[in-house]
Amino acid sequence: MPQGADVMDLRYNVIQWVHRATRGWSYGAAVTDPRTGEIIKGHVTLGSLRVRQDFLIAEALLAPYEKGKPVSPKMQEMALARLRQLAAHEVGHTLGLMHNYSASTVNRSSVMDYPPPYVKLVADGTPDLSAAYATGIGEWDKVSIVFGYQDFAPGTNEQAALNTMLLDAYGRGLRYLTDQDARPAGSSSSLAHLWDSGANAVDELNRIMQVRGAALKRFGENNIREGAPLATLEDVLVPLYMLHRYQVEAASKLVGGMDYTFALRGDGQTPTHIVAPAEQRRALAAVLTTLKPDVLALPESLLKLIPPRPPDYERGREHFKIHTSPAFDALAPAEAAAQHTLQFLFNPERAARLVEFHARNAENLGLEEILDAVLAATWKSAHGKGYTAEIARIIDRVALYDLMALSANEHASDQVRAIAALKLEDLRGWITTTEGSVISFVDEEQRAHFSFATSQIVQFQKDPKQISVTAPAEPPDGPPIGADDDWDGWD
Ligand SMILES: [Zn+2]
């Protein structure tokens, strides 16, 4: 800044770094001329605490604090790479650019997307963060700037030239989908997501589950510094345990999914395309794998390591919500992860699309198929014994809660509620018959689980306003990771 200049001075475009009490959003604000909408001043605010979240993810993945070994600079390198990407993103806003949440599915073609750190697994199963973030602005950003700021030679048909520019870009596979297309939980496009990676959301979910599994296997004392309270292992565990949270949301959008473009009459773009049934089923299978008890179980060796939190290390928004205080709750992470996944499969807009698309073409998946698949993967699956059986029962209850909530959801369409109510009654019938069978006799926990569920369903059917099943705990806060903003007052 020139000597004596003020950051609020209209003549200067400013990037300001601020310290905050907690992690929050960064902003790329602009001062505009109210008469013309012209941007007069760019004002970016970057929060310092955000780096902490990125650093935590790197610590969780790399387990970098091996006794007697120098601490790797990779965590800081990743956090700085993210800050560079962030600064470009915010400056993009001050130049008038909106988010493009489809860019991650096209070679990270825009800094105006929300990128997660891209993590690869090397041959020995260790995570590699070397390509965590893209560098430089993306192909779509170049199209956007040229579209918005290009001057044309006199006599040029500017409108035609601008149209050609965009159609060329679409012809090269670039796409533009923004907040309205990606943020709502009921979004239908399989190509617009926050914090996702990769051209295909399903393949990427399967890949991320591998990365998560490999890093969890290595997770332990080396994930925190010498002298740090062992209870803070949970702080580092949370972003890793929930590493799949954004990609599972992305993959679930293919279920009852419909891709679309903002096609203009005569521009040759395909306005709508219902996601192919086979691809929807692949997505459903991938999403349901995130509910497997052994995927959500934590190693006993780790559980033994985490004591109650010491004074001044209170449990907060970045920790699991537990039932076992003061002890760390070995079941709470599974409950949070199951609720996170199932909320997307029980989303009322998605459910209504499934009903409609199936009615229009019986080859398209229907809501019945989804609910049957969820119950088959939960209540009707073998539960086994011990810790993973207890996790399975928790996931059952989350599915039951969400099924009840959908059938009682006044924002859901009647047919959606009708089908959910039918599946609930089917489940009650199945539990009653199974209850009568051998299974429940040998296993008292299972018998308690079944009879409690039966009484809750009967009570709910009498008065749907009374869901007595405990509402599943929400996972610890996720976004923002590593930076980003809440531009233009999007929720
Ligand atoms: Zn933004």
Side-chain angles (χ1 to χ4, degrees):
M1 291 284 280
Q3 201 60 38
D6 183 291
V7 292
M8 304 307 283
D9 186 321
L10 203 60
R11 291 166 296 176
Y12 300 106
N13 301 305
V14 172
I15 295 183
Q16 59 174 15
W17 296 86
V18 297
H19 290 311
R20 283 203 173 93
T22 61
R23 67 180 159 116
W25 300 94
S26 290
Y27 295 91
V31 178
T32 58
D33 179 332
R35 298 162 300 179
T36 62
E38 180 188 356
I39 296 172
I40 301 171
K41 172 187 166 70
H43 196 97
V44 168
T45 302
L46 297 176
S48 62
L49 249 183
R50 290 285 264 295
V51 187
R52 177 171 170 271
Q53 197 59 22
D54 238 38
F55 209 86
L56 269 177
I57 295 172
E59 287 176 323
L61 289 162
L62 297 179
Y65 305 112
E66 267 183 73
K67 211 172 172 62
K69 285 211 176 148
V71 175
S72 156
K74 289 185 184 140
M75 288 91 73
Q76 177 155 317
E77 282 163 15
M78 184 181 106
L80 289 175
R82 174 52 175 150
L83 273 175
R84 287 189 207 99
Q85 199 279 344
L86 163 72
H89 178 107
E90 302 308 345
V91 169
H93 282 314
T94 67
L95 296 171
L97 302 186
M98 292 296 283
H99 291 133
N100 183 349
Y101 290 126
S102 191
S104 50
T105 65
V106 191
N107 309 319
R108 302 201 275 191
S109 52
S110 171
V111 297
M112 302 314 291
D113 200 333
Y114 281 10
Y118 185 73
V119 192
K120 289 181 286 189
L121 280 183
V122 292
D124 66 358
T126 50
D128 167 10
L129 299 171
S130 58
Y133 292 104
T135 52
I137 67 169
E139 278 308 302
W140 175 259
D141 302 321
K142 294 172 186 166
V143 170
S144 313
I145 293 295
V146 173
F147 182 90
Y149 290 89
Q150 165 98 37
D151 292 323
F152 292 94
T156 308
N157 174 342
E158 190 167 321
Q159 195 51 55
L162 290 171
N163 284 349
T164 308
M165 213 181 273
L166 283 183
L167 289 176
D168 285 356
Y170 298 150
R172 284 185 277 135
L174 295 169
R175 259 188 305 264
Y176 174 68
L177 289 164
T178 190
D179 296 74
Q180 61 166 47
D181 311 298
R183 286 180 184 264
S187 305
S188 84
S189 173
S190 70
L191 303 166
H193 316 293
L194 281 64
W195 317 107
D196 68 303
S197 290
N200 181 290
V202 181
D203 295 341
E204 182 62 11
L205 176 59
N206 291 332
R207 196 190 69 82
I208 284 218
M209 292 309 284
Q210 303 284 323
V211 172
R212 177 184 175 276
L216 271 175
K217 249 199 224 105
R218 304 169 68 243
F219 195 90
E221 290 204 31
N222 291 340
N223 291 85
I224 57 171
R225 295 169 192 273
E226 290 278 327
L230 282 172
T232 61
L233 277 167
E234 182 184 350
D235 303 30
V236 193
L237 176 65
V238 167
L240 174 59
Y241 188 85
M242 297 300 296
L243 191 70
H244 61 298
R245 66 191 301 162
Y246 306 109
Q247 203 60 40
V248 76
E249 179 175 358
S252 69
K253 290 180 186 172
L254 279 81
V255 177
M258 183 190 77
D259 294 330
Y260 54 88
T261 61
F262 305 127
L264 311 181
R265 184 178 168 199
D267 77 355
Q269 293 192 83
T270 308
T272 69
H273 172 73
I274 294 175
V275 174
E279 191 58 4
Q280 292 200 33
R281 290 194 175 94
R282 223 168 58 86
L284 179 61
V287 168
L288 290 176
T289 61
T290 70
L291 294 177
K292 287 207 162 96
D294 55 0
V295 165
L296 296 179
L298 291 168
E300 183 60 28
S301 57
L302 173 60
L303 292 171
K304 277 198 293 226
L305 268 181
I306 306 179
R309 301 186 69 84
D312 293 340
Y313 284 82
E314 279 77 24
R315 181 163 292 285
R317 50 187 282 203
E318 307 207 355
H319 302 107
F320 292 111
K321 294 162 184 75
I322 62 172
H323 300 287
T324 55
S325 182
F328 175 72
D329 185 339
L331 299 167
E335 181 180 334
Q339 174 54 10
H340 182 73
T341 291
L342 285 170
Q343 65 173 326
F344 300 117
L345 293 181
F346 285 91
N347 171 276
E349 285 87 20
R350 185 156 295 120
R353 281 196 303 272
L354 285 160
V355 169
E356 183 208 312
F357 294 167
H358 185 65
R360 285 164 53 186
N361 174 353
E363 279 177 24
N364 289 328
L365 280 64
L367 179 57
E368 300 86 340
E369 180 175 343
I370 305 300
L371 299 181
D372 288 344
V374 170
L375 295 177
T378 57
W379 284 90
K380 299 180 181 175
S381 68
H383 284 22
K385 278 250 171 245
Y387 176 41
T388 49
E390 209 47 58
I391 288 180
R393 283 188 276 274
I394 283 197
I395 299 166
D396 291 350
R397 277 194 284 271
V398 173
L400 175 59
Y401 179 90
D402 291 343
L403 184 58
M404 285 178 171
L406 184 61
S407 76
N409 185 332
E410 279 152 12
H411 301 293
S413 74
D414 284 343
Q415 186 57 6
V416 164
R417 297 181 64 185
I419 293 169
L422 176 72
K423 293 298 169 188
L424 188 63
E425 175 52 21
D426 286 358
L427 178 62
R428 189 193 62 71
W430 179 85
I431 289 176
T432 316
T433 46
T434 312
E435 223 171 358
S437 74
V438 178
I439 300 179
S440 62
F441 274 109
V442 289
D443 183 332
E444 195 159 15
E445 287 90 0
Q446 198 64 357
R447 194 146 53 90
H449 179 52
F450 278 174
S451 64
F452 189 50
T454 306
S455 66
Q456 287 177 317
I457 295 174
V458 170
Q459 191 184 342
F460 172 78
Q461 289 170 327
K462 278 201 200 98
D463 177 9
K465 293 226 167 359
Q466 298 296 330
I467 300 184
S468 67
V469 182
T470 319
E474 295 293 327
D477 286 7
I481 51 174
D484 247 307
D485 55 39
D486 199 14
W487 170 250
D488 225 9
W490 295 99
D491 61 277

